[in-house]
Amino acid sequence: MINMAAITDWISEERALTDTFNRFDTDFSGELTAEQLKELYCSIQDGGISLPQVEASIDAVCAAETCDRQELFDVLNEMDRRYFLVRDLQWEFALLDRENKGTISEKDARFVFQAVHDDFFSHRRWLKFLRSRAAPGSGISFAEIEVPLCDIPTMDWLDEEKQDEGSAKEEALKRKQEKERAEEEARKAAENKAKLEKEAAKRRAEAARRKADAEAAEKKAEQEELERKAKKEEEERKRQRLEEDAKRLSEEEAKQREEEERLRQEEVKRLEEEGRKRREKEEAEQKGKKEELRKQQELEREKEEREREELERKQKEEAMEAEELAEEAEEAERAAAEQARLAAEAAKEATDEAARKAAEEAEKKALAEAMANKEKRLRANLKGAVKSRKEERLEGSIKNAKSAKMPGLKNDIDTAENTLKDVQAGEALKSAIRRRHLEGEKLANRLKRLEKLKAEIMELKQSVISEIRSYGNPPPAVHKVMIATYLLLSYPEKELLNWKNMQALLGKTGKEGLKRQVTSLDPLRVDMNKADYAFDKYLRETDLETIRDTSAGAATFYVWATNMIEEVHSVAEQKEKLLEEEKKRKEEEAEEARKMAERKKAREAAKRGAPLTKRTSQTPAKKNSGTDQGRRMSRDETRGRSNSRGREGSKDNLSKSPARPGVARRASSKSPAARN
């Protein structure tokens, strides 16, 4: 049967424990702390136990540092055990505390531990307790030992003791080995000490010797120092005397130099005055010489002008005489052609052989005379054209002479052609001189302008460039002008877009300074594409007035940059012109070489060809050919008559030509105007 009374008692106890637990669980955490348990136990047992005993009870029973409801009963039992054991131990402690000081000795405390724990007494734990005390060696109170005395001994304590004994043996062995090692080290140390003492004694002796030597050297050095000081003092006195003498001499020399300078300045003034008077005299003499030279040059120019006019007059007279001779030759040529025609008709109408032969001989003679007069006329025309030195007349005369194909005119044609070349070359030279003169003036003006700009830039003060450099955020126009300037100096554009890099460039001096680079830049070294790029991108939309209103220094660089770009274009154009002229000159030389080759071939062909006049045949066909030749000559004379009008000829050459029969030659040297 179930013992209902026991169940009822158990239920009552559980309820009582629960009520007690809840009464002291003031924070409703479901757990009691050591302080709460101590308070609870004090309500059960009079006086209770100490807080360390409560904590030891919790540590022995509970799983945590607090006590829950299920652990309360066991904890209370553990606390009861400790409570009653403490009462007994307090009585035994009081017996050992004979003087009632509240403490006992460490020996008595060890006795109590051995009596309580008996065979489970742990020497190791006892030593640990002693080492953990705040004041080792002092009296031990009951509060210090009550908790360890109430702890229940376990087998672990004995295992720890055995481990400590093994450790103690090892420690003893280790101490023995350490002792032996220490003894060996002590022996070696003694030997080393003896050795060191011996060496120390030796060093002391050596040190004593060195000390004696040092003292002797010191005494010697002191003596030398005294001698040196005495010598130095003597030298100082000498130096002071020399300085005083030098100062006195310097003052005397200064006075002498002042006097010499005064005399020199007076001499310079005198020489300057003499030089000024001499220069004035020389200038007056030079002025007189210049005036005399000017008058002499004017006289020479007048003389040259008279000589030129006289030469032109003579050439004109010679040209007119050549023209008259050409007209006479033309008339003689026509007359000879007419005689040839009449002789040809007479030969046709001749009834007998003798008359026919006589007529043919007359025709042949007339044709020869006509050819001679034609050659005389063409030579006179060439001579007149040469004297006139007119390009149109020379070209016409040369053309007519060449079309006649007379070998006797070769030298005259060559002379006329050379004269034509000289005339053409002279005209080309004059044109080139005029063109070069204009280009030279333009170049001189550009150079003057560039030199003026360089001078303005050189006169720029560094403060002006520093002002441009001081801009933290420069005006866009100023930045563009400086970019264009440095682009012309061959700096990369990418670096110039950053104003900090520009400031670094503006801050450079010497050879890398902006003024030095600008004034030494040669337009030939500037790439035209880069110059055009700088102008189109950075200068085209900017004008001088805007720049000048913003910064005078930037305006100077703007003017320099624009003029430099113009100069680059001018240099490029000049190069192109020179290349074109060189090309044209080479083409003319090639053409002249070709013409010379053709003339050479023509001369060789003329040498290999048949004679100009052929013997007249007796056959009627040949008679007809002679008549036809006379008619052709008449037509040639008629066509060339208009070209021979007004042209000049050579009197000397004409005088050598055969005269026309029945026509008197005019040998007068006077001009037509004089004869009239």
Side-chain angles (χ1 to χ4, degrees), residues 7 25 91 103 128 135 187 223 254 311 425 465 515 581 583:
I7 293 173
D25 184 14
W91 182 77
T103 60
K128 182 179 179 182
R187 184 183 63 77
Q223 183 66 26
L311 179 61
I465 298 177
K515 290 169 62 176
E581 290 178 359
K583 182 179 179 181

Side-chain angles (χ1 to χ4, degrees), residues 229-244:
K229 286 182 178 179
K231 185 178 180 181
K232 186 176 181 181
E233 290 174 356
E234 181 65 24
E235 290 177 352
E236 182 67 21
R237 286 193 294 271
K238 288 182 179 179
R239 186 185 62 79
Q240 289 178 356
R241 287 196 299 271
L242 291 173
E243 286 181 354
E244 291 174 357

Side-chain angles (χ1 to χ4, degrees), residues 285-300:
E285 293 177 355
Q286 189 70 18
K287 187 176 181 181
K289 289 181 180 180
K290 286 182 179 179
E291 184 66 23
E292 184 179 353
L293 180 61
R294 186 183 63 78
K295 291 180 180 179
Q296 185 177 356
Q297 289 176 349
E298 288 180 357
L299 292 174
E300 289 178 356

Side-chain angles (χ1 to χ4, degrees), residues 347 350 352-363 618 623:
D352 55 357
E353 185 65 21
R356 186 178 60 78
K357 286 184 178 181
E360 288 178 354
E361 288 294 330
E363 181 185 4
Q618 300 293 329
K623 290 180 182 179

